[in-house]
Amino acid sequence: MTRRLTRRFFAVAATLALSAAGNTQQPQSAAPAAAPAMAAPQAGYTFASPQTLTFTVDWRVFTAGQAVFHLENVNGQMKVTATADTLGAVNMLYPVSDKYQASFDAGTGCSASFSKQIQEGRRKVNTDLTFNYAAGKQMLFERNLIKGNTKQQEAPIPACVTDSLSAIFYAASQPIVVGQNITLLLADSMRVV
């Protein structure tokens, strides 16, 4: 499995989780340039907590891996954890053991943090992303555990964003109607789409 297939592995699992959370539309790749602000969760909406979604991912005729998403409410802050692991023969060809964590405010839907620990083949990278809404910035700190180097970056964000993990559960908090659009301001790779 290549790095591209690993991303697809997680993307497939995330799409399945989004469907399980109640989405009835296909996600769009980017928001318009002048996108409106993200809406807070519907009044009276309660995130199902604790909630665990488990998916098996097949690669042709082989079971390639498993993705597990877990959501838990900790004092009004929603904590999301996800794992993506290869299984069986695929694990011997290209082992993947990725872990993701995110948190977002249950009342506003705004993400507070996102982190990932990537172990894909020989690649091992830890990334932490935090959101400072008062300063209007997202801050990234990345460590390559194999090469030993680090990277820090800052980029502007609007008043409220979601991350790629929290977005799965945030979407379920919106009144989704066939034929209407829902706006997600997704902070990903130091940009907002």
Side-chain angles (χ1 to χ4, degrees), residues 67-173:
V68 178
F69 297 80
H70 181 75
L71 177 70
E72 188 171 10
N73 187 333
V74 180
N75 299 325
Q77 194 76 0
M78 303 308 297
K79 304 286 184 185
V80 186
T81 57
T83 58
D85 297 294
T86 50
L87 299 171
V90 173
N91 193 53
M92 293 188 320
L93 295 171
Y94 191 81
V96 172
S97 181
D98 294 347
K99 293 174 181 41
Y100 305 84
Q101 300 88 30
S103 62
F104 65 97
D105 186 281
T108 64
C110 302
S111 290
S113 64
F114 174 79
S115 66
K116 59 184 176 181
Q117 297 80 44
I118 303 295
Q119 293 186 24
E120 300 167 352
R122 293 185 196 141
R123 182 174 180 249
K124 294 183 181 183
V125 178
N126 290 353
T127 305
D128 295 310
L129 183 62
T130 55
F131 304 101
N132 183 337
Y133 296 108
K137 293 181 181 179
Q138 58 180 313
M139 286 89 50
L140 174 108
F141 182 73
E142 186 173 278
R143 295 173 299 281
N144 186 316
L145 303 177
I146 300 300
K147 296 178 181 177
N149 56 355
T150 61
K151 174 171 75 170
Q152 289 184 315
Q153 289 181 300
E154 287 186 1
I157 56 169
C160 180
V161 297
T162 189
D163 59 81
S164 56
L165 189 55
S166 300
I168 296 166
F169 296 96
Y170 166 81
S173 75

Side-chain angles (χ1 to χ4, degrees), residues 15 18-19 22-28 175-182:
T15 301
L18 185 57
S19 296
N23 188 12
T24 59
Q25 295 179 302
Q26 292 293 323
Q28 296 185 8
I176 298 175
V177 178
V178 175
Q180 291 184 348
N181 292 327
I182 175 176

